[in-house]
Amino acid sequence: MWILQGSSEDAAQTLTFRVLPGSAKTMGRAVRADFVVDAALVSRLHCRVHADNGRLEVEDLNSTNGTFVNDRRVQRAVLAPGDRLRVGRVELTVVRDAQGSESQ
């Protein structure tokens, strides 16, 4: 299992998103997004994260303000533990939970 951890713009709320192997999740402001990030500069459907074959990938969904990995704008990228994924003003750190992936 992969975990994306961070905090909201005002640091009042901690964000934790879990991505199980074989799943794809959308992230954005819209209620229909799998991971709702209600923050400035985040598009309704901003990006998609996909976990498969031991890898986690992110794909920008034509967001207005872009998707960034380690401060580099990307259209698509493979994420590694410790990477920083930024959507709008929200920054999430990528964590690999080997224990959680075995039990799922």
Side-chain angles (χ1 to χ4, degrees), residues 60-77:
D60 185 79
L61 297 176
N62 297 317
S63 65
T64 302
N65 295 299
T67 298
F68 294 79
V69 175
N70 300 326
D71 297 321
R72 185 175 64 89
R73 189 172 185 156
V74 298
Q75 205 44 45
R76 180 182 291 249

Side-chain angles (χ1 to χ4, degrees), residues 22-59:
S23 67
K25 303 289 183 181
T26 56
M27 185 179 302
R29 275 191 355 264
V31 176
R32 70 178 190 249
D34 297 308
F35 299 148
V36 177
V37 179
D38 189 17
L41 307 177
V42 177
S43 294
R44 283 174 279 186
L45 286 179
H46 197 101
C47 64
R48 176 183 297 115
V49 289
H50 180 254
D52 202 14
N53 298 323
R55 296 177 6 153
L56 183 66
E57 294 184 45
V58 63
E59 175 186 3

Side-chain angles (χ1 to χ4, degrees), residues 83-102:
D83 281 349
R84 293 170 291 115
L85 172 63
R86 183 164 44 93
V87 293
R89 293 186 179 149
V90 175
E91 186 170 275
L92 302 162
T93 302
V94 178
V95 177
R96 178 83 188 258
D97 180 10
Q99 269 188 326
S101 65
E102 305 219 2

